[in-house]
């Protein structure tokens, strides 16, 4: 039965969002007796419900088609409903502020990522360009670095190539840390280690193309990583020197003949020279043939 005015203890709902409530009716629902008021939704009502910041069903407000219904319980807390409705603009503003802050943070994160990728790639190419074993990677990285509008995918690509170059260095460092037995006897001599380091630095100084061009100058593709890693060391231990000697035997034609003869002199000659038992001791030569 429709009621022109709600029977006690029910009250006429306020004109929230300009709603014009029609005559109400009592209903027995699964949650108990409710007084249902109905109104045609207004644009303001539609906007408030679409905002998505309020659980209207918990307030007793539902939508059916173009109508909105208010299901009033006998002890309905009308003040709580009013507070929830009045607070919608503030909650919308807070949500938008949170979204804006998150968007700003994401923008900054991307900017930081791009800046880090640029810095790491630029530094790696400048200081350890020889560790970029593939010419295609060097060309791609240089092309990306020239672009002013790098995105996340570009930055991640640069970092992946930097990581690959760093892995190349680590693999070489681990390799030269293990003794190369055929050169063990010579590498055990301190003077040989010193001469071997000087020799690898001579060849490294000529390796300007980082083995990207086949010209018999500097290291080859198979030796450039180990050569540069060894040349960058302050001194060589026995294992490292054994690998230096291994590389120098391959590239001996790029060294002064006297240096090669001295470097690969029999160990007993080095020992004799070290004890002053030889008229001429094996020494490194700081010149080209």
């Amino acid at each position: 039965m429709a009621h022109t005015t709600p029977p006690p203890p029910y009250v006429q709902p306020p004109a929230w969002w300009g709603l014009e409530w029609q005559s109400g009716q009592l209903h027995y629902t699964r949650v108990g007796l409710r007084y249902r008021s109905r109104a045609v939704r207004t644009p303001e009502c539609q906007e408030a419900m679409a905002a998505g910041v309020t659980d209207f069903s918990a307030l007793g407000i539902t939508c059916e088609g173009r109508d909105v219904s208010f299901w009033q319980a006998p002890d309905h807390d009308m003040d709580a409903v009013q507070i929830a409705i009045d607070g919608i603009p503030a909650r919308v503003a807070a949500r938008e502020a949170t979204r804006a802050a998150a968007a700003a943070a994401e923008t900054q994160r991307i900017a930081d990522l791009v800046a880090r990728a640029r810095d790491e790639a630029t530094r790696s190419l400048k200081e350890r360009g020889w560790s970029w074993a593939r010419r295609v990677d060097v060309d791609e990285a240089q092309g990306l670095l020239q672009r002013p509008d790098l995105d996340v995918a570009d930055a991640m690509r640069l970092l992946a190539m930097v990581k690959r170059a760093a892995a190349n260095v680590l693999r070489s460092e681990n390799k030269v840390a293990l003794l190369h037995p055929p050169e063990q006897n010579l590498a055990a001599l301190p003077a040989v280690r010193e001469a071997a380091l000087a020799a690898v630095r001579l060849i490294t100084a000529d390796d300007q193309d980082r083995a990207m061009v086949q010209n018999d100058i500097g290291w080859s593709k198979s030796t450039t990583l180990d050569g540069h890693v060894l040349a960058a060391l302050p001194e060589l231990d026995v294992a490292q020197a054994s690998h230096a000697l291994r590389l120098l035997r391959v590239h001996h034609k790029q060294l002064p003949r006297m240096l090669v003869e001295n470097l690969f002199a029999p160990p007993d000659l080095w020992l004799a020279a070290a004890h002053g038992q030889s008229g001429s001791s094996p020494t490194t030569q700081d010149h080209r043939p």
Side-chain angles (χ1 to χ4, degrees):
M1 176 180 180
H3 296 266
T4 303
T5 58
Y10 305 103
V11 298
Q12 181 72 8
W16 300 312
W17 311 299
L19 293 173
E20 297 180 359
W21 298 103
Q22 303 171 10
S23 298
Q25 193 171 13
L26 286 170
H27 292 266
Y28 287 95
T29 71
R30 59 186 178 83
V31 292
L33 190 62
R34 293 291 185 269
Y35 182 78
R36 181 190 186 190
S37 301
R38 183 185 301 177
V40 177
R41 275 187 287 175
T42 61
E44 294 81 4
C45 176
Q46 183 66 31
E47 181 181 356
M49 291 187 164
V53 295
T54 305
D55 182 2
F56 285 102
S57 62
L59 300 178
I61 300 174
T62 62
C63 291
E64 299 92 15
R66 67 187 188 94
D67 292 341
V68 59
S69 294
F70 178 51
W71 301 83
Q72 190 178 163
D75 58 348
H76 214 98
D77 189 344
M78 299 298 291
D79 290 338
V81 176
Q82 189 66 54
I83 290 171
I85 290 175
D86 291 343
I88 289 176
R91 290 194 296 278
V92 170
R95 181 190 63 191
E96 295 308 309
T98 299
R99 287 177 175 176
E106 178 64 8
T107 298
Q108 187 60 53
R109 184 191 71 82
I110 293 174
D112 292 343
L113 175 66
V114 169
R116 179 168 68 89
R118 282 189 182 278
D119 177 69
E120 291 189 14
T122 299
R123 186 153 31 90
S124 178
L125 285 169
K126 180 180 179 180
E127 299 176 1
R128 284 187 166 182
W130 46 266
S131 65
W132 293 59
R134 302 195 311 171
R135 182 72 207 185
V136 64
D137 283 356
V138 175
D139 292 342
E140 181 182 358
Q142 290 176 338
L144 288 172
L145 290 172
Q146 291 174 1
R147 288 174 45 189
D149 58 342
L150 295 185
D151 58 20
V152 172
D154 296 329
M156 295 304 294
R157 177 61 179 158
L158 279 175
L159 290 173
M161 289 188 286
V162 170
K163 183 177 180 180
R164 182 157 58 229
N168 290 336
V169 174
L170 180 60
R171 186 162 52 248
S172 177
E173 289 174 341
N174 291 336
K175 176 182 177 181
V176 301
L178 299 176
L179 182 68
H180 181 60
E183 305 291 356
Q184 179 176 2
N185 292 336
L186 273 177
L189 302 173
V192 171
R193 295 198 294 272
E194 182 180 349
L197 180 57
V200 295
R201 286 175 176 172
L202 284 175
I203 296 178
T204 298
D206 282 341
D207 195 44
Q208 299 301 314
D209 59 16
R210 303 190 295 272
M212 297 293 181
V213 179
Q214 187 173 355
N215 54 14
D216 296 326
I217 300 176
W219 302 110
S220 66
K221 286 186 177 181
S222 63
T223 59
T224 186
L225 280 170
D226 294 347
H228 280 272
V229 165
L230 291 168
L233 296 172
E235 60 182 10
L236 303 180
D237 61 21
V238 175
Q240 293 161 346
S242 71
H243 284 278
L245 293 169
R246 171 179 61 83
L247 300 183
L248 293 171
R249 287 190 187 276
V250 175
H251 296 278
H252 67 276
K253 292 182 179 180
Q254 298 184 54
L255 297 172
R257 182 173 56 84
M258 185 63 69
L259 174 56
V260 175
E261 292 177 355
N262 289 339
L263 187 62
F264 294 107
D268 56 351
L269 181 58
W270 278 101
L271 290 173
H275 291 86
Q277 298 175 7
S278 172
S280 60
S281 62
T283 58
T284 61
Q285 304 294 316
D286 191 19
H287 62 272
R288 293 291 184 225

